């Protein structure tokens, strides 16, 4: 039963990822920080430390399309 449940969970996740149109995840080390130049790299790297999670704070990325918000 555990095997069947794991298989179903895997298929369910795969199906939801396809429907969400989310591509493969890439490591942040591969992000091109040279473009766009509008991204505040030190601030973004501080956010990636995830210190906002424990106090329950939020981070909102806003800006025009094509800046890499989804990738980040």
């Amino acid at each position: 039963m555990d095997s069947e449940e794991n298989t179903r969970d895997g298929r369910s996740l795969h199906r939801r990822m396809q429907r969400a149109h989310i591509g493969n995840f890439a490591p942040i080390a591969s992000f091109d920080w040279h473009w766009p130049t509008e991204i505040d790299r030190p601030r973004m790297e501080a956010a990636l430390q995830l210190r906002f999670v424990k106090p329950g704070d939020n981070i909102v990325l806003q800006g025009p399309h094509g800046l890499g918000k989804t990738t980040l």
Side-chain angles (χ1 to χ4, degrees):
M1 286 180 48
D2 288 338
S3 176
E4 177 68 21
E5 184 177 5
N6 290 336
T7 301
R8 285 183 181 197
D9 288 346
R11 283 194 312 253
S12 174
L13 176 61
H14 180 73
R15 188 172 44 254
R16 286 181 280 136
M17 292 288 285
Q18 281 184 323
R19 288 180 184 161
H21 300 289
I22 296 174
N24 294 330
F25 292 97
I28 195 65
S30 67
F31 187 78
D32 182 9
W33 292 103
H34 296 102
W35 187 94
T37 57
E38 294 87 4
I39 293 179
D40 185 348
R41 183 176 182 173
R43 183 176 283 181
M44 193 66 232
E45 287 180 341
L48 292 172
Q49 297 296 314
L50 304 179
R51 291 188 189 109
F52 65 93
V53 174
K54 189 168 184 170
D57 294 336
N58 295 308
I59 291 181
V60 177
L61 301 177
Q62 70 179 46
H65 66 284
L67 290 181
K69 298 179 300 294
T70 302
T71 301
L72 291 171

